[in-house]
Amino acid sequence: PNAGAQGASEYQDVVAAARWLAARPDVDSARVGIWGGSYGGFLVAMALARDSRLFAAGVDVHGVHDWTAERARGMLDRSRYERAPDAERALEVAWRSSPLAWLAGWRSPVLLVHADDDRNVRFNQTVDLARRLERRGVPFEEMV
């Protein structure tokens, strides 16, 4: 329940894993990193945005960074659909479930990897994130 754009509840698994690793005597807790692609890229971005103190660095491979980018278009187009009574609340939850909503806490460096002809996750998700990180002074590299 409450996964993805409905609350990003699965992110709690990522936090639990980082805390478990950091507590191990054979792990340097200051060097825990995270990587993932697509949905895993979304979780990488959430980790770095929400918990840079737990994650020293990350690799985000074609991740989703804004759940409202695609959802809002259809939900708000009255010519195609009747507007749902909870549309505004759904968009608010989708935004809070997006890494972009948490950028103020992002400090850790990240490698952003994305194909410019990706047919699953729109390339502009990574372009937008990179520009926002640049404005905030967060270290990143891009591989396109």
Side-chain angles (χ1 to χ4, degrees):
N2 303 318
Q6 289 79 43
S9 63
E10 66 279 34
Y11 174 65
Q12 295 309 308
D13 293 337
V14 173
V15 171
R19 288 182 178 149
W20 179 82
L21 280 171
R24 293 182 52 86
D26 58 336
V27 172
D28 180 348
S29 64
R31 298 180 70 184
V32 173
I34 185 169
W35 68 273
S38 194
Y39 206 86
F42 153 70
L43 290 171
V44 167
M46 285 295 278
L48 299 179
R50 291 184 67 177
D51 288 296
S52 277
R53 71 190 187 295
L54 286 175
F55 299 95
V59 179
D60 173 347
V61 183
H62 57 89
V64 174
H65 309 118
D66 181 358
W67 287 118
T68 66
E70 300 303 317
R71 291 176 174 268
R73 195 170 297 124
M75 289 173 64
L76 300 176
D77 184 358
R78 290 187 180 222
S79 67
R80 294 180 51 207
Y81 303 105
E82 183 177 324
R83 187 179 180 98
D86 65 344
E88 291 301 323
R89 175 72 180 130
L91 287 172
E92 179 184 326
V93 170
W95 174 251
R96 301 292 297 161
S97 303
S98 301
L100 291 185
W102 301 92
L103 283 184
W106 193 322
R107 305 280 183 273
S108 303
V110 63
L111 172 62
L112 303 171
V113 181
H114 206 134
D116 62 359
D117 191 27
D118 190 321
R119 306 293 169 97
N120 294 313
V121 177
R122 292 185 182 263
F123 180 59
N124 66 354
Q125 291 270 334
T126 296
V127 172
D128 181 50
L129 175 62
R131 297 302 71 86
R132 290 172 189 252
L133 292 175
E134 186 173 51
R135 284 195 298 271
R136 299 189 76 75
V138 176
F140 72 94
E141 289 188 29
E142 290 176 284
M143 184 182 299
V144 176

